[in-house]
Every structure is written in structure tokens, then in C-alpha cells.
Amino acid sequence: MMMKGNVMDKFTNRYWLFAGYNYYPSGGLNDFHGSFKTMVDAVKAIGRKDWFHILDTVTGETHEDQYLPKDYRITEWAETYDDGERNALR
């Protein structure tokens, strides 16, 4: 993957999305599709990818496609996740 500009700017947000098609990862940063401030933003970026992992860089948790809803409910899950994280910070 060719990254233009300051490479570190691509990794500044909390949620990192790794995703791809046909269940065949390209490996490492070749599957990186960006970092996002909220889980909702990361989920919206999945699009029509066949698989995905979202890394929460604060907790170290990885959220994998096989354990999350496959339809519109994934956005609801992400909203709940973001709400829970905001409440934990209070």
C-alpha cells in the first residue's frame, strides 16, 4: 500500500479498520483502510467488504466480522459501543 503525505497521520485515531474482499487478507498494512475517531465511522467505512477487523487502540480489543451483526444492526451496535465508551470516560 502506497501512503502519501505524513504516514503517521493515517494512524492517529482510535479505531483502525482492516478489511478486504473474498476472505483473503493481503496481509498487514495492505488491509488497512484507515483510522477513525468513532466506532460508527469505522463501521460506515466497511462498505461491501467481505471481512473486517476493527482494532480499538485504547483497549486493545479487536472486533471481528464473524462476531458482529451482518446487516443494519451493526451501526446500532457501533452506536451502543461509542455510547458505552463515552460513559466510561465520565
Side-chain angles (χ1 to χ4, degrees):
M1 166 172 28
M2 182 63 131
M3 293 187 183
K4 295 180 181 179
N6 185 346
V7 174
M8 293 312 295
D9 289 343
K10 309 282 191 258
F11 301 95
T12 58
N13 294 310
R14 178 175 179 168
Y15 302 101
W16 295 9
L17 173 63
F18 296 84
Y21 296 103
N22 300 322
Y23 298 96
Y24 295 108
S26 298
L29 290 178
N30 291 321
D31 296 318
F32 181 73
H33 286 272
S35 67
F36 303 88
K37 290 183 179 182
T38 68
M39 183 64 79
V40 170
D41 290 341
V43 163
K44 287 180 179 177
I46 294 167
R48 301 179 69 69
K49 308 279 188 309
D50 292 323
W51 67 269
F52 65 88
H53 296 169
I54 300 172
L55 172 65
D56 182 334
T57 62
V58 171
T59 67
E61 293 178 290
T62 301
H63 302 279
E64 301 178 28
D65 57 298
Q66 66 244 28
Y67 301 114
L68 297 174
K70 304 281 190 247
D71 53 19
Y72 68 92
R73 293 173 299 153
I74 192 168
T75 303
E76 293 173 0
W77 170 83
E79 289 169 351
T80 302
Y81 187 91
D82 284 340
D83 288 344
E85 290 302 306
R86 277 192 289 276
N87 289 337
L89 294 174
R90 291 182 183 163

